[in-house]
Amino acid sequence: MNTLPPRVLLTGFDPFGGEALNPSWEAVRRLEGEILRGHRIVTRQLPTSFGRSLRALRAALASTRPALVICVGQAGGRSRISLERVAINVDDARIADNAGKQPVDRPIVRHGPAAYFTTLPIKAQLSALLAAGLPAEISQSAGTFVCNHVFYGLMHALRESPQIRAGFVHIPFLPEQAVAHAGAASLSLDTVLASLRLLVDTALTTRRDSRLAAGATH
Ligand code: PCA
């Protein structure tokens, strides 16, 4: 008999673009082993590399067999927790990834659908975060770099497993990074951790996504 609790997989990325750290991994790794609503959080670091990131993600999906997956990445310059709605089938890099690759206008999955939507209840999650005083927004684009690549690959890998909810969340710089980017917005690690816990909790307790609460925008 298998008595292991169901698992929630959280991923973060290694540092890229000259940063000393990546807030996504700094936050995610601190949640390893926590139990939320009877689910155990397992964490993995993904390389910020077009080639290797999805291989690592697929290996993590196979070995952890999660009930819920949230991939997290840094979006320097954004000021809020960004709940991503859509992943698009294109790699178009403004800077080289950590393996020196810089694809231009290349499909992630040849002949794959143009886009996949998140299966997280992002409007319920947005309402929960705002109600808790945490800065959040729905984002309509995860960009065209490695984060969008991972988000698209995640939804493609799970396209026949709709019972496994999955999606992507971008987070701002940490305060120590913002210093080097004069005036850039940042969020403290504690704020990010509280947000990630609430995102997992809301995904585990919300069956159908809701209408946005009055006053919230997206
Ligand atoms: N952010 C990048 C890739 C890795 C990360 O943390 C992005 O937004 O694509």
Side-chain angles (χ1 to χ4, degrees):
M1 196 177 79
N2 186 351
T3 54
L4 288 175
R7 283 170 293 272
V8 171
L9 174 63
L10 298 182
T11 69
F13 286 97
D14 63 356
F16 70 101
E19 297 294 325
L21 55 81
N22 190 316
S24 64
W25 179 240
E26 293 309 310
V28 159
R29 70 185 178 86
R30 286 173 167 82
L31 298 173
E32 173 70 41
E34 280 194 20
I35 306 284
L36 281 177
R37 305 260 174 197
H39 290 63
R40 174 188 287 277
I41 294 181
V42 294
T43 65
R44 293 286 189 280
Q45 189 187 64
L46 303 180
T48 302
S49 148
F50 286 100
R52 289 167 52 223
S53 56
L54 278 180
R55 285 200 287 280
L57 178 65
R58 284 193 290 262
L61 291 172
S63 66
T64 65
R65 303 172 63 78
L68 168 69
V69 187
I70 303 180
C71 295
V72 185
Q74 162 189 308
R78 293 197 194 177
S79 59
R80 294 170 169 264
I81 305 284
S82 290
L83 312 179
E84 299 292 352
R85 186 194 292 273
V86 56
I88 58 176
N89 190 14
V90 66
D91 289 333
D92 191 24
R94 191 176 43 79
I95 57 171
D97 71 8
N98 284 352
K101 293 274 173 359
Q102 196 172 355
V104 174
D105 291 346
R106 195 170 313 144
I108 299 166
V109 174
R110 208 175 310 145
H111 308 305
Y116 284 108
F117 292 112
T118 186
T119 51
L120 299 177
I122 54 173
K123 292 188 289 296
Q125 290 176 314
L126 176 63
S127 298
L129 290 178
L130 295 179
L134 297 163
E137 65 191 357
I138 287 172
S139 162
Q140 319 295 354
S141 172
T144 54
F145 192 50
V146 179
C147 287
N148 173 74
H149 181 87
V150 161
F151 184 15
Y152 187 94
L154 169 68
M155 303 317 294
H156 188 73
L158 296 178
R159 67 195 180 286
E160 264 144 37
S161 311
Q163 75 286 1
I164 305 176
R165 277 185 149 173
F168 198 97
V169 173
H170 265 123
I171 62 173
F173 284 137
L174 290 173
E176 57 263 46
Q177 294 178 283
V179 175
H181 298 269
S186 64
L187 285 183
S188 73
L189 190 60
D190 282 350
T191 301
V192 176
L193 290 172
S195 302
L196 293 179
R197 289 190 184 99
L198 195 48
L199 289 172
V200 170
D201 189 276
T202 307
L204 292 174
T205 54
T206 307
R207 284 269 291 275
R208 287 192 53 187
D209 205 359
S210 50
R211 189 169 289 141
L212 261 191
T217 55
H218 71 298

